[in-house]
Amino acid sequence: SDGVFAIAMTLLVLEIRVPILSGGSTNADLGHGLVIMWPKFLSYAFSFVTLGVYWVAHHLHFVTIRRADRMLLWINLLYLLCIGFVPFSTALIGEHYQYQWAVVIYGVNLTVIALVLLLHWWYATQEHRLVDPDIDPALVRSVTRVILVGPLVYLIAIGCSFLSTVVSVILYALVTLFYILPRGIHLHLRAERIVQTR
């Protein structure tokens, strides 16, 4: 799983091409060529951080998941399938952020990733299938609620794309900022460490 994330995150930068200049170009022409590439740089940075957020979430799931079975492995593969599509949807929105289809495809990609992550968590924790029997039910509910924020806001952003693609992109960014802050399992593990050190 880490390998797929690493490859997807690396592929993001390969979509940023060096500006092509003619023989009589000047330093100013190169500067201008770099400036007009700002959507690609921004989409690269944003998607890199977003993939980082989903990598951290995936990693933290396995802090509580103690066992794996065939179904969990297939759900995990579906999750990685969606992760592997991010370089394409990022290239699309980086090149055509002003077009609704590009913004919608990017949003659908992020929505499906979040929903599969939710399925991953639900399957592992349902009836304590793959987690410890004494796992805190409040933790399970907390993580579920945190994951649900993503697809809900992504769907709102997709709806907003009918009015403004810029608003949609801002909403996508806000979800990533929301997830960067410690929540769910982060806070649970921090509380556990505090208790253990007392």
Side-chain angles (χ1 to χ4, degrees), residues 47-133:
S47 291
F48 190 93
V49 174
T50 300
L51 284 177
V53 163
Y54 282 114
W55 174 77
V56 170
H58 184 260
H59 174 75
L60 288 174
H61 279 197
F62 282 99
V63 172
T64 54
I65 295 173
R66 304 302 185 193
R67 300 169 297 281
D69 62 10
R70 183 181 178 86
M71 181 56 69
L72 184 73
L73 295 177
W74 281 109
I75 294 172
N76 199 62
L77 281 173
L78 178 60
Y79 182 66
L80 296 176
L81 172 72
C82 301
I83 292 296
F85 192 73
V86 171
F88 171 77
S89 64
T90 298
L92 193 63
I93 198 172
E95 187 74 36
H96 305 293
Y97 71 94
Q98 69 273 34
Y99 295 116
Q100 185 185 14
W101 269 114
V103 173
V104 168
I105 289 172
Y106 189 79
V108 168
N109 191 184
L110 296 182
T111 302
V112 175
I113 289 172
L115 290 175
V116 176
L117 183 66
L118 180 63
L119 174 63
H120 188 269
W121 178 247
W122 173 85
Y123 180 79
T125 58
Q126 182 69 12
E127 298 180 353
H128 304 95
R129 183 181 285 116
L130 302 173
V131 295
D132 290 335

Side-chain angles (χ1 to χ4, degrees), residues 126-148:
Q126 182 69 12
E127 298 180 353
H128 304 95
R129 183 181 285 116
L130 302 173
V131 295
D132 290 335
D134 60 347
I135 188 172
D136 187 351
L139 171 64
V140 175
R141 291 192 299 270
S142 173
V143 173
T144 300
R145 286 194 298 268
V146 169
I147 296 173
L148 275 172

